[in-house]
């Protein structure tokens, strides 16, 4: 998991739809995407920006922005020729305060080396977002390139604000038939931490679900506390929690999903969360091959029969 956070829950609640407006240019949209997602490869940018056009067209857009010193690129590690793009300091200044980025603190890698070092997790997160975006376009659902908000931070209880739950992303998604709005906390796991540490994230979500901020010197009644749950300030309903796993063998990923289910069944706070909030896990490659809405999601509570993420 990345440990850098730039978006608070309060800031990210209201999103501006990613739709062209009068006078908006394709360059403007490309910069907004980089401001939101931090680091994007050329093919990923093409898929988000203009999948109906040629790759060469997208390359010209990026080249023009580079010539204006608004963006830079870095070659990804591992001997690949693939390049990833990010904002320059000038690009960050230009995009700060844009309406579609309302509430976001625009951040970018400090250098090509910084971008390369953080690329694995950041680009896996973008891959996950693109799996949902591709599926939404095919289904006619409302989900745009800016409806995936990376690294959203939430304060956890009894720590003076120093202990935070940082979701890899908060996703805002509206299905067209039936028309329903969904929010989801998303955790992208590349099997770089222990399975036990991954499963502990569920405890953090359970703590946030039950967190009641207390005013200094005041002890509220039970009724008062129910009305003051912290997440009520940010979300109309507590978002479902989705784990997307990749970067390991099928057996390893299956074991990690089993460990998530075991934590849900074995920890009283998480079990209580599962009674109120849909929790699920899936393999990223399954989302890319079969579609994000396909029955590839394993519920973290109950029998464990696979289903669509909206049916968890």
């Amino acid at each position: 998991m990345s440990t850098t956070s730039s978006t608070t829950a309060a800031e990210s609640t209201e999103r501006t739809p990613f739709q062209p407006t009068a006078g908006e240019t394709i360059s403007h949209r490309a910069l907004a995407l980089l401001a939101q997602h931090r680091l994007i490869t050329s093919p990923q940018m093409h898929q988000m920006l203009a999948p109906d056009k040629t790759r060469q067209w997208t390359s010209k857009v990026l080249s023009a922005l580079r010539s204006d010193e608004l963006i830079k690129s870095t070659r990804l590690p591992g001997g690949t020729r693939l390049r990833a793009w990010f904002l320059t300091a000038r690009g960050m200044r230009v995009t700060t305060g844009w309406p579609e980025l309302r509430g976001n603190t625009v951040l970018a890698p400090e250098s090509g080396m910084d971008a390369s070092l953080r690329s694995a997790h950041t680009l896996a997160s973008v891959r996950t977002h693109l799996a949902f975006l591709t599926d939404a376009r095919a289904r006619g659902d409302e989900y745009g390139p800016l409806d995936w908000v990376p690294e959203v931070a939430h304060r956890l209880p009894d720590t003076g604000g120093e202990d935070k739950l940082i979701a890899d992303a908060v996703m805002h998604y509206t299905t067209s038939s039936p028309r329903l709005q969904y929010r989801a906390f998303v955790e992208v796991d590349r099997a770089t931490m222990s399975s036990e540490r991954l499963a502990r994230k569920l405890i953090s979500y359970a703590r946030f679900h039950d967190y009641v901020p207390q005013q200094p010197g005041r002890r509220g009644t039970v009724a008062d506390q129910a009305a003051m749950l912290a997440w009520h300030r940010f979300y109309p309903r507590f978002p479902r929690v989705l784990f997307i796993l990749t970067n390991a063998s099928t057996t390893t990923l299956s074991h990690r999903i089993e460990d998530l289910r075991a934590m849900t069944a074995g920890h009283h706070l998480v079990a209580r969360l599962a009674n109120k909030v849909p929790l699920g896990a899936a393999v990223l490659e399954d989302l890319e091959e079969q579609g994000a809405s396909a029955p590839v999601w394993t519920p973290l509570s109950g029998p464990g029969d696979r289903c669509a993420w909206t049916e968890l």
Side-chain angles (χ1 to χ4, degrees):
M1 269 245 346
S2 173
T3 57
T4 302
S5 174
S6 65
T7 306
T8 65
E11 292 167 341
S12 68
T13 301
E14 295 297 331
R15 308 306 307 164
T16 301
F18 189 66
Q19 298 292 338
T21 58
E24 182 184 85
T25 66
I26 200 69
S27 296
H28 178 107
R29 285 194 277 167
L31 289 172
L33 287 171
L34 286 170
Q36 179 93 320
H37 299 289
R38 280 48 163 209
L39 191 68
I40 308 175
T41 67
S42 298
Q44 289 173 336
M45 177 64 80
H46 178 73
Q47 191 173 348
M48 279 194 267
L49 191 64
D52 58 329
K53 296 186 180 294
T54 65
R55 292 278 182 92
Q56 289 77 13
W57 185 89
T58 303
S59 294
K60 288 181 179 178
V61 173
L62 295 172
S63 295
L65 292 172
R66 179 174 57 188
S67 296
D68 288 339
E69 300 182 347
L70 294 169
I71 66 174
K72 291 181 179 179
S73 69
T74 185
R75 184 161 291 177
L76 298 179
T80 177
R81 297 181 61 184
L82 195 62
R83 304 193 72 85
W85 298 87
F86 58 96
L87 294 179
T88 62
R90 183 185 180 198
M92 286 188 284
R93 290 194 299 271
V94 167
T95 55
T96 296
W98 283 6
E100 62 268 52
L101 302 171
R102 183 175 58 240
N104 288 13
T105 300
V106 177
L107 296 175
E110 296 179 359
S111 64
M113 177 62 72
D114 182 28
S116 180
L117 291 174
R118 71 171 66 188
S119 63
H121 185 273
T122 302
L123 295 179
S125 179
V126 175
R127 276 179 62 195
T128 306
H129 166 46
L130 285 174
F132 282 98
L133 181 61
T134 300
D135 194 62
R137 285 169 172 167
R139 294 169 56 86
D141 290 340
E142 292 182 17
Y143 179 72
L146 292 181
D147 288 330
W148 176 277
V149 188
E151 298 180 0
V152 179
H154 307 80
R155 179 183 168 187
L156 288 177
D158 307 323
T159 61
E162 295 181 1
D163 187 10
K164 294 182 179 180
L165 165 67
I166 302 176
D168 282 344
V170 173
M171 181 175 69
H172 304 256
Y173 193 107
T174 301
T175 57
S176 58
S177 182
R179 185 170 179 80
L180 295 171
Q181 294 182 336
Y182 295 88
R183 286 181 177 86
F185 294 122
V186 182
E187 294 294 326
V188 179
D189 172 52
R190 298 184 58 255
T192 55
M193 67 174 70
S194 70
S195 187
E196 189 268 343
R197 279 187 61 199
L198 175 66
R200 282 210 313 263
K201 289 286 295 194
L202 284 165
I203 302 176
S204 296
Y205 281 108
R207 289 175 63 202
F208 178 56
H209 181 270
D210 293 347
Y211 175 31
V212 180
Q214 292 293 320
Q215 296 181 8
R218 175 185 172 185
R219 301 185 67 175
T221 66
V222 173
D224 289 337
Q225 291 175 359
M228 291 190 297
L229 288 168
W231 65 266
H232 284 169
R233 296 177 54 200
F234 313 131
Y235 308 106
R237 293 187 303 275
F238 195 86
R240 59 194 58 215
V241 183
L242 305 178
F243 288 81
I244 292 90
L245 294 76
T246 188
N247 198 47
S249 69
T250 300
T251 299
T252 297
L253 297 180
S254 295
H255 287 165
R256 293 172 81 82
I257 292 175
E258 290 171 7
D259 291 341
L260 288 168
R261 284 178 52 81
M263 176 65 79
T264 304
H267 194 285
H268 70 284
L269 286 180
V270 182
R272 188 165 66 194
L273 175 69
N275 285 333
K276 300 177 181 179
V277 177
L279 312 174
V283 174
L284 175 54
E285 287 74 13
D286 290 342
L287 270 63
E288 292 175 324
E289 293 169 8
Q290 301 182 47
S293 61
V296 296
W297 295 86
T298 300
L300 299 187
S301 62
D305 297 332
R306 289 189 174 192
C307 61
W309 71 271
T310 55
E311 298 171 350
L312 289 167

